[in-house]
Amino acid sequence: MDNDSLIRVENLVKIYDGGEVPLRALDGVSLTIARGEFVAIMGHSGSGKSTLMNVLGALDRPTEGRYWLDGEDVGEMDVEELADLRNRRIGFIFQSFNLLPRLSALQNVRLPMLYRLENRLDAAKREKTAIAALEVVGLGSRLYHRPNQLSGGQQQRVAIARALINQPALILADEPTGNLDTKSSEEIIGILQNLNRQGVTIVMVTHESDVAAHAGRIVHMKDGKIMTDGPNGHRQRDAAPALESRGGAA
Amino acid sequence: MTFIETIGVAWEGLLLNKLRSFLTTLGVIIGVAAVILMIAISAGAAAAIADQINALGTNLILISAQRGTPGKPPTLVYDDALALAQGVKGISGVAAEQSVTDQVIQWGTANFTIPTLGETPDFPTVRQVPVGSGRFFTQVDLDRKNKVIVLGSKVAHDLFGDTNPVDQEVMLGNTHLTVIGVMAPKGSVGGVDYDDQVYVPLTVLYQRYLANTPVQNRVRAIYVSAASAETMDSAISQIKTLLARRHGVTVSNPDFTVQTQQDIIQTQQATTETFRTLLAWVAAVSLLVGGIGIMNIMLVSVTERTREIGVRVSIGARPDDVRMQFLLEALILSLFGGLVGVVAGIGGAWLFNETGVMRTALVPWSLGLAFAAAAAVGIVFGYFPANTAANLDPIEALRHE
Ligand SMILES: Nc1ncnc2c1ncn2[C@@H]1O[C@H](COP(=O)(O)OP(=O)(O)O)[C@@H](O)[C@H]1O
Ligand SMILES: [Mg+2]
């Protein structure tokens, strides 16, 4: 395996047995993502994007297939190791933000650090780190607000700060702008692009072409399979020009 | 999550649902209060018994004839008491006692039946029933079989009203007796109302009320007061040896029993044991119900917060972290119940005492015990919900609305 690949999955299959016929949410997905890439995953609703992201985020296990993160076989890991992976090496961003409603922005951001106290900082340093992370996403003045006191865009920025807090190499974002207006979306994408420039690998699901246009590589999925996979720019159809003009205006 | 933060989150959750939290912990509250009250009541009962024993006379030794063996009537006699008074060292008094069927007492037109006892001169000191007015009878009265009587305070009042009974003549049964004294009020001790009986010299009892009966000369009990606590053991062994010799039996197989206050306390404590057992069941059942309540509310909490659990897992919480969080919450819930229960228990014990329902004495360690019981309930019954939370599938948890 080449040294630059952060993610490598081979022949991922995820079958849901619930319905009348077993549903193949992932149907032989193989994919390699290099360190430092910004990949957008597109596809219609139900095409298996979230299922793939959940497997990549170590939240779900595939029915078949293998997954190496940074050369390590994730399929071999026990619950503790998976928890560690989610805590320190992967930051997950959800469409619905998934902040804890009763905690302040600062407490939400600090949470991942608290689950690894044994090899982490003392309380004062944790606080500092969390404040710094919130400043990175432009929320230095909203430390003590609860999620319901923040706009959607602000909540998603808190979620990004939380995902960043343990300095993961990989950020997985499943439709991070799906619940946001255009302006907030652009702010979020801007933050992700910034992170990517600093070397964080980003995999983002979206079905908005103008959002995907910011990625360096676009993967199209359909019926649990990867249909196309290539660098951005070539395969953009009607959405691309519109996006370029908008991007120029921003 | 730090310990403190987990506690903070749990506490906030409790405050969000004040009424629900209270109802949930009601079982624990009642259970803990019952534990404290139970122990306070039995301690109160023990104190009451101790008081009774004290009222009967300190360092009291009770000798009674062993009864119930057919063909072998009780053999404790008045002469035994005289012999003990003579032959045992380290004692301050010997009182022999015999009773007869209730007698009719009459003065003027007033009359009623009354428990009648034959006593010896040491009765007031040994049994700690002081004389109120007049005097108690002496050895001379006994030896000469003087026809005198001493009244309990209530008897004196009922019979004489405001008249001074001393030197008056009453009829007890068929015998005219001169009242020489009235005992001071004593009240009931161990079921005997000392104020509502009359006392005649033991020898008069034999002569006038027990003539021509096989009970002649026999006493139902001899009370000996040791001079001090230190002489108790020696006095007891002297009594046993002396009586055994007089009765022609061995000390190891006697025809009498010698009891101390301690023995009497133990017998009486067996009675309160039953009550204590009952309360223990109340406590156990309440704690069980409380535990089930906590388990139920924690399961509800886990369901309500399924998504939160999913979020926590997605950012790196281990199953152990989740389990610990919910265990702590259950523990806080039960300790909160424990705290309220302790207050309720203390308040209940106080109220029982104040209103005279039952005598109670708070026992400090019972508070700790009750609190520990509450904690144990929280951990035991919180474990299942906590485990359920820890084993949730993260994806399903995150999808939960
Ligand atoms: N837990 C599940 N049980 C049954 N079917 C599921 C489950 N999760 C997802 N699916 C199905 O798998 C397919 C892929 O879902 P998903 O990955 O969420 O699609 P996308 O994110 O691309 O919209 C869909 O048909 C969906 O209905
Ligand atoms: Mg999806």
PDB file of all heavy atoms in Angstrom, chain A residues 54 59 83 86-87 96 98 100 102 110-111 114-116 118 146 162, chain B residues 1 5 9 12 307-308 311-313 315-316 318 321 394-395 398:
ATOM      1  N   ASN A  54     -20.631   6.221   7.307  1.00  0.00           N
ATOM      2  CA  ASN A  54     -20.684   5.596   8.630  1.00  0.00           C
ATOM      3  C   ASN A  54     -19.644   4.496   8.776  1.00  0.00           C
ATOM      4  O   ASN A  54     -19.064   4.327   9.845  1.00  0.00           O
ATOM      5  CB  ASN A  54     -22.087   5.041   8.897  1.00  0.00           C
ATOM      6  CG  ASN A  54     -23.098   6.161   9.076  1.00  0.00           C
ATOM      7  OD1 ASN A  54     -22.720   7.297   9.393  1.00  0.00           O
ATOM      8  ND2 ASN A  54     -24.368   5.856   8.856  1.00  0.00           N
ATOM      9  N   LEU A  59     -18.422   4.032  12.646  1.00  0.00           N
ATOM     10  CA  LEU A  59     -19.678   3.984  13.397  1.00  0.00           C
ATOM     11  C   LEU A  59     -20.455   2.726  13.043  1.00  0.00           C
ATOM     12  O   LEU A  59     -21.330   2.302  13.772  1.00  0.00           O
ATOM     13  CB  LEU A  59     -20.539   5.211  13.071  1.00  0.00           C
ATOM     14  CG  LEU A  59     -20.047   6.539  13.632  1.00  0.00           C
ATOM     15  CD1 LEU A  59     -20.790   7.701  12.978  1.00  0.00           C
ATOM     16  CD2 LEU A  59     -20.242   6.572  15.137  1.00  0.00           C
ATOM     17  N   ALA A  83     -13.547   3.188  19.379  1.00  0.00           N
ATOM     18  CA  ALA A  83     -13.876   4.421  20.097  1.00  0.00           C
ATOM     19  C   ALA A  83     -12.699   5.387  20.029  1.00  0.00           C
ATOM     20  O   ALA A  83     -12.864   6.594  19.832  1.00  0.00           O
ATOM     21  CB  ALA A  83     -14.221   4.105  21.554  1.00  0.00           C
ATOM     22  N   ARG A  86     -12.590   7.009  16.611  1.00  0.00           N
ATOM     23  CA  ARG A  86     -13.588   8.075  16.482  1.00  0.00           C
ATOM     24  C   ARG A  86     -13.188   9.293  17.290  1.00  0.00           C
ATOM     25  O   ARG A  86     -13.502  10.419  16.956  1.00  0.00           O
ATOM     26  CB  ARG A  86     -14.956   7.572  16.974  1.00  0.00           C
ATOM     27  CG  ARG A  86     -15.534   6.484  16.126  1.00  0.00           C
ATOM     28  CD  ARG A  86     -16.974   6.208  16.520  1.00  0.00           C
ATOM     29  NE  ARG A  86     -17.090   5.525  17.801  1.00  0.00           N
ATOM     30  CZ  ARG A  86     -17.316   4.229  17.942  1.00  0.00           C
ATOM     31  NH1 ARG A  86     -17.471   3.463  16.867  1.00  0.00           N
ATOM     32  NH2 ARG A  86     -17.402   3.683  19.125  1.00  0.00           N
ATOM     33  N   ASN A  87     -12.491   9.042  18.358  1.00  0.00           N
ATOM     34  CA  ASN A  87     -12.145  10.147  19.238  1.00  0.00           C
ATOM     35  C   ASN A  87     -10.982  10.976  18.728  1.00  0.00           C
ATOM     36  O   ASN A  87     -11.028  12.201  18.754  1.00  0.00           O
ATOM     37  CB  ASN A  87     -11.826   9.588  20.628  1.00  0.00           C
ATOM     38  CG  ASN A  87     -11.592  10.695  21.629  1.00  0.00           C
ATOM     39  OD1 ASN A  87     -10.460  10.921  22.026  1.00  0.00           O
ATOM     40  ND2 ASN A  87     -12.643  11.401  22.001  1.00  0.00           N
ATOM     41  N   SER A  96     -27.319  17.263  10.764  1.00  0.00           N
ATOM     42  CA  SER A  96     -28.158  17.825  11.836  1.00  0.00           C
ATOM     43  C   SER A  96     -27.327  18.276  13.046  1.00  0.00           C
ATOM     44  O   SER A  96     -27.841  18.360  14.158  1.00  0.00           O
ATOM     45  CB  SER A  96     -29.192  16.793  12.260  1.00  0.00           C
ATOM     46  OG  SER A  96     -28.540  15.573  12.563  1.00  0.00           O
ATOM     47  N   ASN A  98     -25.908  17.578  15.562  1.00  0.00           N
ATOM     48  CA  ASN A  98     -25.736  16.650  16.683  1.00  0.00           C
ATOM     49  C   ASN A  98     -24.912  17.222  17.832  1.00  0.00           C
ATOM     50  O   ASN A  98     -24.003  16.581  18.352  1.00  0.00           O
ATOM     51  CB  ASN A  98     -25.095  15.342  16.190  1.00  0.00           C
ATOM     52  CG  ASN A  98     -26.148  14.404  15.628  1.00  0.00           C
ATOM     53  OD1 ASN A  98     -27.321  14.522  15.945  1.00  0.00           O
ATOM     54  ND2 ASN A  98     -25.705  13.491  14.783  1.00  0.00           N
ATOM     55  N   LEU A 100     -24.984  18.465  21.818  1.00  0.00           N
ATOM     56  CA  LEU A 100     -25.793  18.132  22.991  1.00  0.00           C
ATOM     57  C   LEU A 100     -26.492  19.397  23.468  1.00  0.00           C
ATOM     58  O   LEU A 100     -25.846  20.390  23.804  1.00  0.00           O
ATOM     59  CB  LEU A 100     -24.924  17.547  24.104  1.00  0.00           C
ATOM     60  CG  LEU A 100     -24.261  16.215  23.738  1.00  0.00           C
ATOM     61  CD1 LEU A 100     -23.647  15.575  24.972  1.00  0.00           C
ATOM     62  CD2 LEU A 100     -25.230  15.260  23.081  1.00  0.00           C
ATOM     63  N   ARG A 102     -28.053  20.449  26.034  1.00  0.00           N
ATOM     64  CA  ARG A 102     -27.958  21.034  27.382  1.00  0.00           C
ATOM     65  C   ARG A 102     -26.576  21.602  27.685  1.00  0.00           C
ATOM     66  O   ARG A 102     -26.356  22.174  28.743  1.00  0.00           O
ATOM     67  CB  ARG A 102     -28.320  19.992  28.434  1.00  0.00           C
ATOM     68  CG  ARG A 102     -29.786  19.635  28.392  1.00  0.00           C
ATOM     69  CD  ARG A 102     -30.165  18.834  29.606  1.00  0.00           C
ATOM     70  NE  ARG A 102     -29.257  17.717  29.804  1.00  0.00           N
ATOM     71  CZ  ARG A 102     -29.648  16.499  30.156  1.00  0.00           C
ATOM     72  NH1 ARG A 102     -30.906  16.249  30.366  1.00  0.00           N
ATOM     73  NH2 ARG A 102     -28.767  15.537  30.328  1.00  0.00           N
ATOM     74  N   ARG A 110     -15.499  20.689  24.042  1.00  0.00           N
ATOM     75  CA  ARG A 110     -14.555  20.072  24.967  1.00  0.00           C
ATOM     76  C   ARG A 110     -14.794  18.571  25.133  1.00  0.00           C
ATOM     77  O   ARG A 110     -13.917  17.837  25.571  1.00  0.00           O
ATOM     78  CB  ARG A 110     -14.729  20.758  26.323  1.00  0.00           C
ATOM     79  CG  ARG A 110     -13.496  20.870  27.147  1.00  0.00           C
ATOM     80  CD  ARG A 110     -13.777  21.719  28.327  1.00  0.00           C
ATOM     81  NE  ARG A 110     -15.144  21.484  28.830  1.00  0.00           N
ATOM     82  CZ  ARG A 110     -15.569  21.884  30.008  1.00  0.00           C
ATOM     83  NH1 ARG A 110     -14.749  22.539  30.801  1.00  0.00           N
ATOM     84  NH2 ARG A 110     -16.789  21.656  30.412  1.00  0.00           N
ATOM     85  N   LEU A 111     -16.015  18.145  24.822  1.00  0.00           N
ATOM     86  CA  LEU A 111     -16.436  16.787  25.112  1.00  0.00           C
ATOM     87  C   LEU A 111     -15.475  15.696  24.633  1.00  0.00           C
ATOM     88  O   LEU A 111     -15.108  14.807  25.416  1.00  0.00           O
ATOM     89  CB  LEU A 111     -17.845  16.575  24.542  1.00  0.00           C
ATOM     90  CG  LEU A 111     -18.786  15.633  25.283  1.00  0.00           C
ATOM     91  CD1 LEU A 111     -18.829  15.938  26.760  1.00  0.00           C
ATOM     92  CD2 LEU A 111     -20.172  15.751  24.664  1.00  0.00           C
ATOM     93  N   LEU A 114     -12.619  15.059  26.865  1.00  0.00           N
ATOM     94  CA  LEU A 114     -12.920  14.479  28.174  1.00  0.00           C
ATOM     95  C   LEU A 114     -12.990  12.961  28.128  1.00  0.00           C
ATOM     96  O   LEU A 114     -12.883  12.303  29.149  1.00  0.00           O
ATOM     97  CB  LEU A 114     -14.235  15.044  28.706  1.00  0.00           C
ATOM     98  CG  LEU A 114     -14.210  16.544  28.948  1.00  0.00           C
ATOM     99  CD1 LEU A 114     -15.583  17.046  29.334  1.00  0.00           C
ATOM    100  CD2 LEU A 114     -13.200  16.884  30.020  1.00  0.00           C
ATOM    101  N   TYR A 115     -13.188  12.415  26.926  1.00  0.00           N
ATOM    102  CA  TYR A 115     -13.233  10.962  26.846  1.00  0.00           C
ATOM    103  C   TYR A 115     -11.852  10.335  26.745  1.00  0.00           C
ATOM    104  O   TYR A 115     -11.719   9.123  26.689  1.00  0.00           O
ATOM    105  CB  TYR A 115     -14.108  10.513  25.670  1.00  0.00           C
ATOM    106  CG  TYR A 115     -15.578  10.638  25.991  1.00  0.00           C
ATOM    107  CD1 TYR A 115     -16.420  11.437  25.237  1.00  0.00           C
ATOM    108  CD2 TYR A 115     -16.111   9.958  27.084  1.00  0.00           C
ATOM    109  CE1 TYR A 115     -17.763  11.553  25.551  1.00  0.00           C
ATOM    110  CE2 TYR A 115     -17.449  10.064  27.406  1.00  0.00           C
ATOM    111  CZ  TYR A 115     -18.272  10.863  26.633  1.00  0.00           C
ATOM    112  OH  TYR A 115     -19.596  10.975  26.957  1.00  0.00           O
ATOM    113  N   ARG A 116     -10.833  11.164  26.685  1.00  0.00           N
ATOM    114  CA  ARG A 116      -9.478  10.605  26.676  1.00  0.00           C
ATOM    115  C   ARG A 116      -8.607  11.363  27.679  1.00  0.00           C
ATOM    116  O   ARG A 116      -7.579  11.916  27.356  1.00  0.00           O
ATOM    117  CB  ARG A 116      -8.855  10.697  25.277  1.00  0.00           C
ATOM    118  CG  ARG A 116      -9.414   9.711  24.293  1.00  0.00           C
ATOM    119  CD  ARG A 116      -9.241   8.268  24.772  1.00  0.00           C
ATOM    120  NE  ARG A 116      -9.868   7.332  23.863  1.00  0.00           N
ATOM    121  CZ  ARG A 116     -11.181   7.081  23.808  1.00  0.00           C
ATOM    122  NH1 ARG A 116     -12.002   7.690  24.637  1.00  0.00           N
ATOM    123  NH2 ARG A 116     -11.665   6.236  22.942  1.00  0.00           N
ATOM    124  N   GLU A 118      -6.827  10.252  30.035  1.00  0.00           N
ATOM    125  CA  GLU A 118      -5.571   9.620  30.434  1.00  0.00           C
ATOM    126  C   GLU A 118      -4.371  10.148  29.658  1.00  0.00           C
ATOM    127  O   GLU A 118      -3.282  10.265  30.202  1.00  0.00           O
ATOM    128  CB  GLU A 118      -5.668   8.089  30.332  1.00  0.00           C
ATOM    129  CG  GLU A 118      -6.028   7.536  28.959  1.00  0.00           C
ATOM    130  CD  GLU A 118      -7.537   7.469  28.723  1.00  0.00           C
ATOM    131  OE1 GLU A 118      -8.280   8.149  29.450  1.00  0.00           O
ATOM    132  OE2 GLU A 118      -7.949   6.734  27.803  1.00  0.00           O
ATOM    133  N   ARG A 146     -25.877  28.119  24.352  1.00  0.00           N
ATOM    134  CA  ARG A 146     -26.323  26.755  24.104  1.00  0.00           C
ATOM    135  C   ARG A 146     -26.747  26.658  22.647  1.00  0.00           C
ATOM    136  O   ARG A 146     -27.052  27.668  22.017  1.00  0.00           O
ATOM    137  CB  ARG A 146     -27.492  26.411  25.016  1.00  0.00           C
ATOM    138  CG  ARG A 146     -27.037  26.307  26.459  1.00  0.00           C
ATOM    139  CD  ARG A 146     -28.101  25.698  27.318  1.00  0.00           C
ATOM    140  NE  ARG A 146     -27.555  25.461  28.651  1.00  0.00           N
ATOM    141  CZ  ARG A 146     -28.092  24.644  29.541  1.00  0.00           C
ATOM    142  NH1 ARG A 146     -29.165  23.973  29.238  1.00  0.00           N
ATOM    143  NH2 ARG A 146     -27.538  24.469  30.716  1.00  0.00           N
ATOM    144  N   ARG A 162     -15.725  20.968  17.404  1.00  0.00           N
ATOM    145  CA  ARG A 162     -15.702  19.727  18.181  1.00  0.00           C
ATOM    146  C   ARG A 162     -14.967  18.626  17.421  1.00  0.00           C
ATOM    147  O   ARG A 162     -14.190  17.872  18.001  1.00  0.00           O
ATOM    148  CB  ARG A 162     -17.138  19.287  18.496  1.00  0.00           C
ATOM    149  CG  ARG A 162     -17.209  18.027  19.351  1.00  0.00           C
ATOM    150  CD  ARG A 162     -18.641  17.635  19.642  1.00  0.00           C
ATOM    151  NE  ARG A 162     -19.353  17.229  18.425  1.00  0.00           N
ATOM    152  CZ  ARG A 162     -20.647  16.928  18.378  1.00  0.00           C
ATOM    153  NH1 ARG A 162     -21.377  17.015  19.473  1.00  0.00           N
ATOM    154  NH2 ARG A 162     -21.220  16.569  17.243  1.00  0.00           N
TER     155      ARG A 162
ATOM    156  N   MET B   1     -15.642  12.539  29.845  1.00  0.00           N
ATOM    157  CA  MET B   1     -16.450  13.273  30.811  1.00  0.00           C
ATOM    158  C   MET B   1     -15.798  13.170  32.179  1.00  0.00           C
ATOM    159  O   MET B   1     -15.510  12.071  32.644  1.00  0.00           O
ATOM    160  CB  MET B   1     -17.785  12.535  30.922  1.00  0.00           C
ATOM    161  CG  MET B   1     -19.008  13.156  30.346  1.00  0.00           C
ATOM    162  SD  MET B   1     -19.176  14.819  29.983  1.00  0.00           S
ATOM    163  CE  MET B   1     -20.785  15.120  30.645  1.00  0.00           C
ATOM    164  N   GLU B   5     -18.380  16.689  35.932  1.00  0.00           N
ATOM    165  CA  GLU B   5     -19.273  17.097  34.844  1.00  0.00           C
ATOM    166  C   GLU B   5     -20.426  16.132  34.678  1.00  0.00           C
ATOM    167  O   GLU B   5     -21.547  16.527  34.412  1.00  0.00           O
ATOM    168  CB  GLU B   5     -18.485  17.189  33.537  1.00  0.00           C
ATOM    169  CG  GLU B   5     -17.534  18.362  33.554  1.00  0.00           C
ATOM    170  CD  GLU B   5     -17.393  18.979  32.181  1.00  0.00           C
ATOM    171  OE1 GLU B   5     -17.706  18.297  31.182  1.00  0.00           O
ATOM    172  OE2 GLU B   5     -16.979  20.125  32.113  1.00  0.00           O
ATOM    173  N   VAL B   9     -24.294  17.096  34.794  1.00  0.00           N
ATOM    174  CA  VAL B   9     -25.264  16.773  33.752  1.00  0.00           C
ATOM    175  C   VAL B   9     -26.434  15.996  34.353  1.00  0.00           C
ATOM    176  O   VAL B   9     -27.603  16.279  34.084  1.00  0.00           O
ATOM    177  CB  VAL B   9     -24.595  15.952  32.626  1.00  0.00           C
ATOM    178  CG1 VAL B   9     -25.649  15.366  31.704  1.00  0.00           C
ATOM    179  CG2 VAL B   9     -23.642  16.834  31.837  1.00  0.00           C
ATOM    180  N   GLU B  12     -28.640  18.250  36.458  1.00  0.00           N
ATOM    181  CA  GLU B  12     -29.485  19.092  35.618  1.00  0.00           C
ATOM    182  C   GLU B  12     -30.674  18.316  35.100  1.00  0.00           C
ATOM    183  O   GLU B  12     -31.797  18.819  35.055  1.00  0.00           O
ATOM    184  CB  GLU B  12     -28.675  19.596  34.426  1.00  0.00           C
ATOM    185  CG  GLU B  12     -28.227  21.031  34.558  1.00  0.00           C
ATOM    186  CD  GLU B  12     -27.516  21.460  33.298  1.00  0.00           C
ATOM    187  OE1 GLU B  12     -28.212  21.877  32.363  1.00  0.00           O
ATOM    188  OE2 GLU B  12     -26.280  21.343  33.251  1.00  0.00           O
ATOM    189  N   ARG B 307     -30.334   9.537  21.239  1.00  0.00           N
ATOM    190  CA  ARG B 307     -29.560  10.313  20.276  1.00  0.00           C
ATOM    191  C   ARG B 307     -28.306  10.887  20.927  1.00  0.00           C
ATOM    192  O   ARG B 307     -27.220  10.879  20.341  1.00  0.00           O
ATOM    193  CB  ARG B 307     -30.446  11.432  19.737  1.00  0.00           C
ATOM    194  CG  ARG B 307     -29.907  12.037  18.465  1.00  0.00           C
ATOM    195  CD  ARG B 307     -30.776  13.222  18.075  1.00  0.00           C
ATOM    196  NE  ARG B 307     -30.158  13.915  16.961  1.00  0.00           N
ATOM    197  CZ  ARG B 307     -30.423  13.618  15.690  1.00  0.00           C
ATOM    198  NH1 ARG B 307     -31.255  12.648  15.397  1.00  0.00           N
ATOM    199  NH2 ARG B 307     -29.831  14.294  14.723  1.00  0.00           N
ATOM    200  N   GLU B 308     -28.475  11.388  22.142  1.00  0.00           N
ATOM    201  CA  GLU B 308     -27.317  11.915  22.872  1.00  0.00           C
ATOM    202  C   GLU B 308     -26.243  10.838  23.020  1.00  0.00           C
ATOM    203  O   GLU B 308     -25.045  11.092  22.858  1.00  0.00           O
ATOM    204  CB  GLU B 308     -27.738  12.414  24.259  1.00  0.00           C
ATOM    205  CG  GLU B 308     -26.557  12.808  25.122  1.00  0.00           C
ATOM    206  CD  GLU B 308     -26.928  13.073  26.582  1.00  0.00           C
ATOM    207  OE1 GLU B 308     -28.043  13.546  26.831  1.00  0.00           O
ATOM    208  OE2 GLU B 308     -26.091  12.788  27.452  1.00  0.00           O
ATOM    209  N   VAL B 311     -24.471  10.485  19.812  1.00  0.00           N
ATOM    210  CA  VAL B 311     -23.517  11.588  19.617  1.00  0.00           C
ATOM    211  C   VAL B 311     -22.253  11.338  20.425  1.00  0.00           C
ATOM    212  O   VAL B 311     -21.129  11.469  19.919  1.00  0.00           O
ATOM    213  CB  VAL B 311     -24.150  12.937  20.021  1.00  0.00           C
ATOM    214  CG1 VAL B 311     -23.103  14.042  20.025  1.00  0.00           C
ATOM    215  CG2 VAL B 311     -25.292  13.285  19.085  1.00  0.00           C
ATOM    216  N   ARG B 312     -22.438  10.944  21.669  1.00  0.00           N
ATOM    217  CA  ARG B 312     -21.276  10.712  22.529  1.00  0.00           C
ATOM    218  C   ARG B 312     -20.395   9.600  21.967  1.00  0.00           C
ATOM    219  O   ARG B 312     -19.169   9.707  21.949  1.00  0.00           O
ATOM    220  CB  ARG B 312     -21.731  10.377  23.956  1.00  0.00           C
ATOM    221  CG  ARG B 312     -22.285  11.589  24.698  1.00  0.00           C
ATOM    222  CD  ARG B 312     -22.772  11.200  26.080  1.00  0.00           C
ATOM    223  NE  ARG B 312     -23.373  12.327  26.786  1.00  0.00           N
ATOM    224  CZ  ARG B 312     -22.686  13.234  27.478  1.00  0.00           C
ATOM    225  NH1 ARG B 312     -21.371  13.128  27.570  1.00  0.00           N
ATOM    226  NH2 ARG B 312     -23.288  14.231  28.064  1.00  0.00           N
ATOM    227  N   VAL B 313     -21.039   8.542  21.503  1.00  0.00           N
ATOM    228  CA  VAL B 313     -20.264   7.434  20.938  1.00  0.00           C
ATOM    229  C   VAL B 313     -19.533   7.911  19.679  1.00  0.00           C
ATOM    230  O   VAL B 313     -18.380   7.558  19.449  1.00  0.00           O
ATOM    231  CB  VAL B 313     -21.185   6.229  20.629  1.00  0.00           C
ATOM    232  CG1 VAL B 313     -20.449   5.188  19.802  1.00  0.00           C
ATOM    233  CG2 VAL B 313     -21.693   5.616  21.929  1.00  0.00           C
ATOM    234  N   ILE B 315     -18.277  10.657  18.982  1.00  0.00           N
ATOM    235  CA  ILE B 315     -17.090  11.480  19.218  1.00  0.00           C
ATOM    236  C   ILE B 315     -16.090  10.765  20.117  1.00  0.00           C
ATOM    237  O   ILE B 315     -15.128  11.362  20.587  1.00  0.00           O
ATOM    238  CB  ILE B 315     -17.450  12.862  19.814  1.00  0.00           C
ATOM    239  CG1 ILE B 315     -18.166  12.685  21.140  1.00  0.00           C
ATOM    240  CG2 ILE B 315     -18.262  13.670  18.830  1.00  0.00           C
ATOM    241  CD1 ILE B 315     -18.331  13.985  21.889  1.00  0.00           C
ATOM    242  N   GLY B 316     -16.327   9.476  20.368  1.00  0.00           N
ATOM    243  CA  GLY B 316     -15.276   8.696  21.012  1.00  0.00           C
ATOM    244  C   GLY B 316     -15.572   8.133  22.383  1.00  0.00           C
ATOM    245  O   GLY B 316     -14.674   7.602  23.030  1.00  0.00           O
ATOM    246  N   ARG B 318     -16.411   5.483  24.948  1.00  0.00           N
ATOM    247  CA  ARG B 318     -16.350   4.020  24.959  1.00  0.00           C
ATOM    248  C   ARG B 318     -17.588   3.481  25.662  1.00  0.00           C
ATOM    249  O   ARG B 318     -18.217   4.194  26.441  1.00  0.00           O
ATOM    250  CB  ARG B 318     -15.098   3.564  25.711  1.00  0.00           C
ATOM    251  CG  ARG B 318     -13.827   3.830  24.929  1.00  0.00           C
ATOM    252  CD  ARG B 318     -12.618   3.723  25.800  1.00  0.00           C
ATOM    253  NE  ARG B 318     -12.573   4.851  26.744  1.00  0.00           N
ATOM    254  CZ  ARG B 318     -11.442   5.303  27.275  1.00  0.00           C
ATOM    255  NH1 ARG B 318     -10.291   4.740  26.963  1.00  0.00           N
ATOM    256  NH2 ARG B 318     -11.463   6.317  28.121  1.00  0.00           N
ATOM    257  N   ASP B 321     -17.570   4.355  29.153  1.00  0.00           N
ATOM    258  CA  ASP B 321     -17.882   5.751  29.481  1.00  0.00           C
ATOM    259  C   ASP B 321     -19.385   5.938  29.602  1.00  0.00           C
ATOM    260  O   ASP B 321     -19.874   6.597  30.511  1.00  0.00           O
ATOM    261  CB  ASP B 321     -17.341   6.692  28.391  1.00  0.00           C
ATOM    262  CG  ASP B 321     -15.818   6.693  28.346  1.00  0.00           C
ATOM    263  OD1 ASP B 321     -15.199   6.643  29.418  1.00  0.00           O
ATOM    264  OD2 ASP B 321     -15.262   6.733  27.227  1.00  0.00           O
ATOM    265  N   PRO B 394     -24.430   2.661  17.561  1.00  0.00           N
ATOM    266  CA  PRO B 394     -24.297   4.115  17.368  1.00  0.00           C
ATOM    267  C   PRO B 394     -25.144   4.658  16.226  1.00  0.00           C
ATOM    268  O   PRO B 394     -25.734   5.740  16.350  1.00  0.00           O
ATOM    269  CB  PRO B 394     -22.797   4.311  17.098  1.00  0.00           C
ATOM    270  CG  PRO B 394     -22.201   2.960  16.954  1.00  0.00           C
ATOM    271  CD  PRO B 394     -23.147   1.967  17.549  1.00  0.00           C
ATOM    272  N   ILE B 395     -25.207   3.931  15.120  1.00  0.00           N
ATOM    273  CA  ILE B 395     -25.969   4.435  13.970  1.00  0.00           C
ATOM    274  C   ILE B 395     -27.448   4.527  14.295  1.00  0.00           C
ATOM    275  O   ILE B 395     -28.096   5.547  14.058  1.00  0.00           O
ATOM    276  CB  ILE B 395     -25.762   3.502  12.754  1.00  0.00           C
ATOM    277  CG1 ILE B 395     -24.306   3.530  12.311  1.00  0.00           C
ATOM    278  CG2 ILE B 395     -26.662   3.922  11.608  1.00  0.00           C
ATOM    279  CD1 ILE B 395     -23.812   4.904  11.956  1.00  0.00           C
ATOM    280  N   LEU B 398     -28.026   7.379  16.634  1.00  0.00           N
ATOM    281  CA  LEU B 398     -27.973   8.695  15.998  1.00  0.00           C
ATOM    282  C   LEU B 398     -29.217   8.965  15.167  1.00  0.00           C
ATOM    283  O   LEU B 398     -29.620  10.108  14.996  1.00  0.00           O
ATOM    284  CB  LEU B 398     -26.736   8.783  15.094  1.00  0.00           C
ATOM    285  CG  LEU B 398     -25.431   9.098  15.820  1.00  0.00           C
ATOM    286  CD1 LEU B 398     -24.249   8.905  14.892  1.00  0.00           C
ATOM    287  CD2 LEU B 398     -25.459  10.518  16.363  1.00  0.00           C
TER     288      LEU B 398
END
